[in-house]
Amino acid sequence: MPSDRPDRRVTGGRAETDARVTGGRAETDARVTGGRAEADARVTPGIVVTGTGVISPAGLGAARLWEAMAAGKTFFDGGDDGPPASGLPWPAAAVDTSEITWPAGPVWANAGKYANQSARWAVAAARQALEQAGISGETEDVRGGTVMAVASSGDELSDVIPQLASRYRTDSRPLVKFLHDEVPDYSYIRGIPSQLGQFVSMASGFRGSNVAAYGEAAAGGTGALALAVRLLESGELDRVLVVGVGAPLTVTGLAAFDQDEPFGTRAVTGAGPFDAERSGSLAGQGAAAVLLERAEAAAGPALARLLGCEVLAASDLPTAIGLAVDAVLDGRAAPPTAWWAHGAGSVRLDAVEAGAVLPRTGSVPVTGSKGTIGNAFECSALIDTALAVRSLTRGELPPVGMLGHPDPALGGLAPVIGEVRPLPPAATVLLTALNQGAGATAAGALLLAAAEAAAEAAAETAADGRTADHGKARA
């Protein structure tokens, strides 16, 4: 593995970005220098989404999950059929792993000996996004990079080290030779930010950067997206593959989350996000990949445009949500066409989210995925991003799962219920993401636009700039 590979890490379980909250206002430090105009990191008209990948309880691909939402399906155990099969009090939605495959070939066969379930999910989701963008991954690309959104618990190689120790006891090779042969180039112990990211680098051929945003505190993957945006806007990279994995929670993990922010115990209509009878979030699992590219250097056709992305931590969650939403909507005359909400199903979090977002957007159609597949934590916002892109390409919003009667206490909320709702041609979608837990103080937001609509908006902005410059020259 090259020794000069950049080793960037996001530590402390929280995505560290250039965004700061000072004097109650979100400020950004990102600048484009060297004779180029300074750019505000919150507005990103030159970044496009060219590929997405999803692994969810609905199966492989964003299309399958979107169709399941449109059909009103849910994937929780228990529900109307009785208590969860696990014997635990909390219904959960699980991934069927039978469809997830590992790449063929001797290099991948060797790497596969040390690939845990999360690595296999990450690679499978990444390959979906790359295939959609027409990228084979067979050649090295130093203008491409990876950003991972993964769990922060435990050592990534905790499963690998015992295997190596056991095998070396009966192996005749010198230790150095044994490690060279048996440890994949992409899993050197703590020599790089993320072992999972190196497996993704193998699949993509991207060699320009490897960044990891550890922990659910990175707001469901929006922290990873924000880091990717900064790498693209700085000009360091032309494309970044953002991949997140929300692995199955252990019983201990479920119990810890439940103590902090109680999980729901019902998976039936009326228990969904924003419902008057909701009683708590439900756990899910999955993986997702979102390929972002600079528009002028994109390898594949644009599925949507990313107009803004921010993740912030503040003194409290309502402030964080408000600042993140303000950052991506700043300077826009029209509100977003639709809102893809975090929609946890929590009595408290749903109220906090609606209370912070609705004053800034007005009553716009809102949907979310957690009433269908639950909260996949580290990658929940990446799954939602893939679904929002799917909605923009289809021109429709799917309904909120398990939502029967919207809570009137949530003000002007206008959820999509029962059937899909059409979107206008020039649609924009605001997406929000929150941390789970009573002490959560970080939130993320992004703004997506239909590819055609965003191109028109960018052209209008450029024309306005030329008119203003011409006016100044004449004055």
Side-chain angles (χ1 to χ4, degrees):
M1 184 176 70
S3 60
D4 60 348
R5 178 182 301 280
D7 282 1
R8 297 182 184 82
R9 181 186 291 271
V10 178
T11 57
R14 174 170 296 167
E16 297 175 357
T17 69
D18 288 337
R20 296 177 176 86
V21 180
T22 307
R25 298 179 59 189
E27 298 179 351
T28 54
D29 289 340
R31 293 179 175 84
V32 181
T33 57
R36 294 166 62 187
E38 293 186 353
D40 188 338
R42 295 168 296 182
V43 181
T44 57
I47 296 177
V48 295
V49 180
T50 58
T52 65
V54 170
I55 295 173
S56 78
L60 304 185
R64 284 173 67 174
L65 177 52
W66 196 100
E67 293 290 351
M69 291 181 65
K73 295 180 180 179
T74 61
F75 296 90
F76 302 100
D77 58 356
D80 293 326
D81 298 327
S86 64
L88 298 174
W90 316 291
V95 168
D96 178 1
T97 61
S98 64
E99 292 185 280
I100 299 172
T101 60
W102 187 248
V107 173
W108 282 104
N110 186 54
K113 291 183 289 187
Y114 308 106
N116 60 17
Q117 178 175 269
S118 292
R120 293 175 183 275
W121 289 14
V123 169
R127 293 176 72 196
Q128 290 179 42
L130 293 164
E131 182 179 1
Q132 193 170 27
I135 296 175
S136 68
E138 295 176 356
T139 58
E140 290 195 357
D141 182 0
V142 296
R143 298 291 297 168
T146 60
V147 179
M148 301 298 298
V150 293
S152 57
S153 59
D155 190 321
E156 288 179 318
L157 294 180
S158 59
D159 294 334
V160 173
I161 293 173
Q163 294 180 45
L164 292 174
S166 177
R167 293 184 60 190
Y168 184 64
R169 292 177 61 188
T170 58
D171 197 287
S172 61
R173 288 169 290 179
L175 179 59
V176 172
K177 174 65 173 172
F178 173 81
L179 292 174
H180 180 273
D181 292 344
E182 298 300 330
V183 178
D185 289 344
Y186 301 96
S187 61
Y188 283 111
I189 299 173
R190 288 306 188 196
I192 42 84
S194 170
Q195 181 199 12
L196 300 189
Q198 298 305 298
F199 283 117
V200 171
S201 182
M202 286 179 65
S204 64
F206 294 172
R207 301 292 187 262
S209 183
N210 178 21
V211 188
Y214 285 94
E216 202 268 332
T222 50
L225 286 170
L227 289 169
V229 166
R230 282 155 175 75
L231 288 169
L232 294 170
E233 288 188 325
S234 69
E236 180 176 344
L237 298 175
D238 288 334
R239 56 196 56 85
V240 179
L241 183 58
V242 182
V243 181
V245 179
L249 289 174
T250 63
V251 174
T252 302
L254 286 166
F257 271 112
D258 183 65
Q259 288 181 354
D260 188 47
E261 176 83 28
F263 280 128
T265 56
R266 300 178 302 124
V268 296
T269 300
F274 304 120
D275 199 285
E277 300 298 323
R278 68 191 186 280
S279 59
S281 302
L282 298 176
Q285 53 189 245
V290 178
L291 180 60
L292 301 179
E293 301 194 66
R294 294 170 61 91
E296 65 271 21
L303 305 175
R305 289 186 178 255
L306 181 63
L307 302 183
C309 180
E310 194 57 273
V311 61
L312 294 164
S315 58
D316 56 74
L317 194 55
T319 301
I321 300 170
L323 288 170
V325 172
D326 286 344
V328 299
L329 297 183
D330 186 31
R332 301 190 181 278
T337 308
W339 171 26
W340 198 290
H342 179 79
S346 160
V347 175
R348 183 185 67 89
L349 289 178
D350 285 5
V352 168
E353 185 177 18
V357 175
L358 289 176
R360 292 167 166 83
T361 63
S363 183
V364 298
V366 57
T367 192
S369 66
K370 293 176 183 60
T372 302
I373 59 168
N375 189 347
F377 297 99
E378 290 86 1
C379 70
S380 61
L382 298 179
I383 291 176
D384 287 348
T385 299
L387 290 169
V389 169
R390 183 71 179 171
S391 284
L392 287 168
T393 58
R394 288 182 58 102
E396 298 175 305
L397 282 179
V400 181
M402 298 195 302
L403 176 56
H405 302 285
D407 188 348
L410 299 181
L413 192 75
V416 182
I417 305 176
E419 59 185 11
V420 298
R421 185 176 302 184
L423 288 171
T428 56
V429 176
L430 171 70
L431 187 149
T432 51
L434 318 179
N435 287 353
Q436 183 83 9
T441 59
L446 58 142
L447 187 65
L448 293 160
E452 299 82 2
E456 294 171 3
E460 291 175 2
T461 300
D464 290 343
R466 289 192 296 270
T467 302
D469 291 341
H470 180 64
K472 290 178 183 178
R474 292 189 61 181

